Amino acid sequence: SVTSSPLSAKIAGGARTVSRDSAVLALDASDSSDPDVCPDGGAACPDASLSFLWTCAISDGSPCRLLSSGAILTLPTTSTHTVDLSALALSSSPEVAFTVVVTKSGRVAETFVTLPLEDGPVASVSVSRKSISAARVVFEGSTDA
């Protein structure tokens, strides 16, 4: 009997500090995969049969709510989307967590990312490898600050 491999759920970007005032927070689970379809996983081998369910919670475990109505935030069932943090009631929470549940044919994988929250702007930093040799690795960085 052949059994299916476990699904792999991934959220790109990892834990990072974000601003409560951020109008655009990108959430990306497109590297989630079914290793039976994509042995190397990831976005290079998209699998349209994967389903995604996102949730948002504040530090006390309760669901994220909209500032305007107090309604619980509902997120699209797509692998990628953006969230307007400034539209959420996050003032009393030191962090926010996003969870994605990936499903396919009765199999389930889940992962989450917890993001510390700061008031005001948070600098974005980017680092990439510029060159590599036997003697050294050179990195290049930038920031929006």
Side-chain angles (χ1 to χ4, degrees), residues 9-74:
K10 298 178 184 174
I11 298 175
R16 62 206 180 272
T17 302
V18 295
S19 172
R20 283 181 175 80
D21 304 325
S22 176
V24 180
L25 173 67
L27 295 173
D28 182 354
S30 63
D31 280 346
S32 299
S33 63
D34 176 353
D36 295 337
V37 174
C38 305
D40 296 327
C45 182
D47 184 349
S49 61
L50 292 175
S51 298
F52 300 87
L53 176 64
W54 290 89
T55 57
C56 175
I58 59 175
S59 57
D60 68 4
S62 61
C64 296
R65 295 189 175 273
L66 299 174
L67 265 175
S68 60
S69 66
I72 293 174
L73 174 67
T74 56

Side-chain angles (χ1 to χ4, degrees), residues 80-98:
T80 62
H81 56 88
T82 59
V83 175
D84 180 356
L85 292 180
S86 66
L88 302 179
L90 301 173
S91 63
S92 64
S93 183
E95 60 193 22
V96 62
F98 291 93

